[in-house]
Amino acid sequence: MKMNLSNKIEALLFVVGDDGLTMAQLEFLTEASEEEIRENLNLMSERYAEPESGIMIKEFSGIFQLVTKQEVAETIQKLVENPTSQALSQASLEVLAIVAYKQPITRVEVEDLRGVKSEKPLQTLAAKGLIQETGRAERTGRAILYGTTNEFLNYFGLKNLDELPPLPDEANETEEETDLFMTKFQEAFKEEVKA
């Protein structure tokens, strides 16, 4: 089944979130012409204009974004004010564990340990109040340092960071032990969120 252009544009704009995409990026990613893309953006805008939709397409300085409508702002605000109502993703849990044990730590250092980009999980954790900027690295570039917050300690019922469970010895660490640690970490987080 061939996916139509509107579906591709919608999926791309959803995935990139606040960053949005330029027309040139949309042309490259969809392999469609500017005229075809504009036609589909207009069709999508008409569809989103229906009262049943909570989203719309916004163009700002040549960047297209998928955004929520003003009518649902109050509902979105409830989500923002109550961040614990959403479970953390696996990526966010991994980043949170790294920050908890290695703080203060930069984004690049987190990414080196994980082997993948970690900007979004760091943003999510900061938005949920579990981590915060704790200063700047003294090295070239003065990268932001991250550390956990009192909210983090509260969520996990810890008095201080010394109460974190010990990490397995790095020399004897296996994939199974790492998975066990992440499972325990997730279980502890889920229990704290329920409380």
Side-chain angles (χ1 to χ4, degrees), residues 26-45:
L26 286 169
E27 287 178 65
F28 172 76
L29 293 167
T30 63
E31 300 177 349
S33 69
E34 180 176 346
E35 183 181 325
E36 292 171 310
I37 292 170
R38 286 210 183 272
E39 181 181 320
N40 278 271
L41 285 169
N42 290 336
L43 290 171
M44 292 166 66
S45 292

Side-chain angles (χ1 to χ4, degrees), residues 15-75:
V15 168
V16 297
D18 291 343
D19 293 338
L21 292 171
T22 64
M23 180 58 69
Q25 290 170 317
L26 286 169
E27 287 178 65
F28 172 76
L29 293 167
T30 63
E31 300 177 349
S33 69
E34 180 176 346
E35 183 181 325
E36 292 171 310
I37 292 170
R38 286 210 183 272
E39 181 181 320
N40 278 271
L41 285 169
N42 290 336
L43 290 171
M44 292 166 66
S45 292
E46 289 173 17
R47 187 175 74 219
Y48 295 146
E50 297 294 322
E52 295 82 24
S53 177
I55 58 174
M56 64 183 197
I57 298 222
K58 178 181 174 185
E59 181 181 2
F60 182 73
S61 298
I63 296 174
F64 297 90
Q65 296 174 310
L66 204 53
V67 299
T68 55
K69 289 182 178 176
Q70 186 61 38
E71 296 86 37
V72 295
E74 193 174 306
T75 304

Side-chain angles (χ1 to χ4, degrees), residues 93-103 105 109-111 113-114 118 181 185:
L93 284 171
E94 289 174 6
V95 170
L96 184 57
I98 290 169
V99 171
Y101 283 97
K102 301 286 187 181
Q103 63 185 304
I105 188 168
E109 291 169 332
V110 170
E111 290 173 352
L113 287 168
R114 290 188 68 225
S118 300
F181 169 72
F185 196 79

